[in-house]
Structures are given as structure tokens and as C-alpha cells.
Amino acid sequence: MHIVGVIPARYASSRLRGKPLVDLLGKPMVQRVYERARQARMLHEVVVATDDERIATVVRDFGGMAVMTSREMSSGSDRVAVVAEQMRGDVFVNVQGDEPLLPPSMIDNAVQALLDDSRAAVSTLARPIESVEELVNPSVVKVVFNHERYGMYFSRSPIPHLRDIPDPADWVKHHTYYKHVGLYVFRREALLRYAQLPESRLERAEHLEQLRMLEAGFSVKVALTEQDSIPVDTPEDVERVVTILREMEKLSV
């Protein structure tokens, strides 16, 4: 199996314009993500899929490979599919371009979940939700899965709804909820099929690309992890990540 990691990097983020080029202690975020992905044992190659020549130039300057994609694409996985059309590979991993602290072992875990299950077209990750704040935050995507750990639904809302417990603040005390970690591992055929599908009804409603997969009948394997990452969507997120990077650099000295 030849496994390729692809980092979608779109310039026109709605909340943080030019997000892949945001400086994080002397390195642009896209470089931080690239270097993390390169540490994953399961990836043979890492590529950045971008819609902006400024990002592509930065990637090439630090020694990475960049592939240009259209600005009209609706999801990161659509950009990954462009790479799959141009490069050889059996498995393609959508590594989120806004998670500069992503542990490389999470990539390995997600890839292994796909390789271990021949029925799965796609694999992804989830971790238990421990706080009410995460549960009710629409930016934290929730997932429910069946006894074989195939995804049944993803939502920005808390799922399931506990009908007999009126206060959502008490829900995490009575039920285990799972946060979806937005890392996708595709078999090549599934990825190319995904890219041919129109944006789905549920995908449009929740703005979640994984719902296109479910509506099309893809088997999405959900691997569990205790690890987490911090997505960068706002200037406040940037400050938080920079603080963590400073602490990590102190520990490595």
C-alpha cells in the first residue's frame, strides 16, 4: 500500500484570512502541519493541495510539494481527490491544514483502522467528550457509531438527545458522547467517487463534508483515540497554539 498524506490549504478562510500562512513562532502554519505529518510512520509522501500561489510558493520554499486546485471546491476532501488524480497511491489521507499540533500517531491510528478493515471505504477518529462546553459547542462536531464502529451520523448538535434529562449540562454524566476528529483516510477508489458526487443535502445543512460520505452509503470506520488536537480558526486560537509551542520548545531544550 502506497499511502499519501494531503494537506488542503485554502487561503480564503472566513474567520482567519490567509490562515495557512499565519506565523506560528517563525514558521507558517502550513509548514507546522507539514512537519507533523512527515513524522507519521504510515505516510510515504506528504503533499499540500492549495488554491493560492502564495501558499504554494511558501510550501516549495521550505522544501515541500504543492499541487494547485480550484478555488471553487466545497471541501478539503475534494482537493485531496485532485491530488489522487495526479499521483499514484492506494490510500490518501486528508490531514486538516489548520491543526499544527496534530500528533503524528493520530494519523497512524486512523490509517491503521482502514487497513485493518477491508469493508471500510473511509476511516476517521473520535475521542470521548468530557465537558459540557464541548458538548454544546457547534464548532465541536459530534459522532455516533454502531457496534462495529461505523459512523451513523455526524452533527454540530449533541447527539443523541437525552429526552428524559431536561438539562444538557447533565448529559455527559449519563451518556458517553464522542467528538469527531476531522482526519479522513480514503481508499483511492472511494475518494475519486466522493469527488464526483454533488454536495449532499445533509452536508449543505450542517456544513460537514463527512455527511456526503454517509448519504452516499460509504462505510466510515471510526477509530477511537484519547489524543486531541487544537484547530486554529480565530486569532485567539493562534495565541493559544503559540503559547503551547513556546512551552514545547522550552521542554525540548
Side-chain angles (χ1 to χ4, degrees):
M1 285 276 184
H2 189 77
I3 304 170
V4 182
V6 185
I7 304 168
R10 186 170 65 96
Y11 189 87
S13 170
S14 58
R15 287 183 285 181
L16 192 62
R17 188 169 179 79
K19 183 163 62 171
L21 301 182
V22 167
D23 182 81
L24 299 175
L25 281 192
K27 293 181 180 180
M29 179 157 61
V30 66
Q31 184 175 355
R32 293 279 183 185
V33 177
Y34 184 93
E35 290 174 351
R36 284 277 182 165
R38 288 288 297 169
Q39 294 175 40
R41 295 180 298 101
M42 304 291 284
L43 299 184
H44 299 106
E45 294 182 83
V46 177
V47 183
V48 175
T50 184
D51 62 356
D52 194 281
E53 191 58 47
R54 288 167 288 188
I55 297 172
T57 298
V58 166
V59 171
R60 292 170 187 140
D61 284 348
F62 67 67
M65 178 180 176
V67 172
M68 297 302 298
T69 64
S70 169
R71 294 182 180 179
E72 307 305 317
M73 293 180 167
S74 62
S75 77
S77 293
D78 288 304
R79 298 186 195 283
V80 177
V82 171
V83 175
E85 290 171 349
Q86 299 180 27
M87 294 181 61
R88 73 182 186 91
D90 303 293
V91 172
F92 289 82
V93 185
N94 179 347
V95 180
Q96 298 295 320
D98 59 0
E99 298 198 6
L101 300 177
L102 182 72
S105 58
M106 292 179 73
I107 298 174
D108 292 331
N109 290 346
V111 171
Q112 195 63 57
L114 184 79
L115 300 184
D116 288 345
D117 189 337
S118 61
R119 292 182 297 161
V122 185
S123 63
T124 190
L125 295 172
R127 69 179 302 276
I129 289 177
E130 299 171 349
S131 71
V132 176
E133 289 74 22
E134 276 195 318
L135 181 64
V136 300
N137 183 351
S139 295
V140 176
V141 178
K142 275 67 71 172
V143 57
V144 291
F145 44 83
N146 65 18
H147 67 283
E148 294 183 293
R149 289 218 302 271
Y150 289 116
M152 296 171 65
Y153 194 68
F154 299 83
S155 182
R156 297 185 182 278
S157 299
I159 50 175
H161 177 95
L162 299 191
R163 188 190 65 175
D164 297 329
I165 302 174
D167 187 355
D170 294 326
W171 287 5
V172 291
K173 302 174 185 175
H174 298 273
H175 184 84
T176 302
Y177 288 84
Y178 290 92
K179 168 188 174 180
H180 176 229
V181 180
L183 177 76
Y184 304 102
V185 184
F186 290 89
R187 298 190 192 277
R188 185 176 188 275
E189 297 77 12
L191 175 59
L192 296 180
R193 180 184 164 214
Y194 166 91
Q196 294 300 314
L197 297 170
E199 184 182 39
S200 75
R201 179 177 54 90
L202 293 175
E203 177 186 11
R204 193 176 307 116
E206 297 234 30
H207 291 276
L208 296 175
E209 60 186 303
Q210 59 270 46
L211 293 177
R212 190 193 315 180
M213 304 172 200
L214 291 187
E215 283 194 87
F218 286 28
S219 297
V220 180
K221 189 77 171 188
V222 180
L224 300 184
T225 179
E226 293 298 324
Q227 295 178 293
D228 203 359
S229 184
I230 301 173
V232 175
D233 293 313
T234 66
E236 292 75 22
D237 294 334
V238 172
E239 293 177 11
R240 183 182 176 195
V241 167
V242 166
T243 298
I244 294 172
L245 286 171
R246 283 201 185 100
E247 292 300 316
M248 290 171 65
E249 288 192 356
K250 287 179 185 177
L251 292 173
S252 64
V253 173

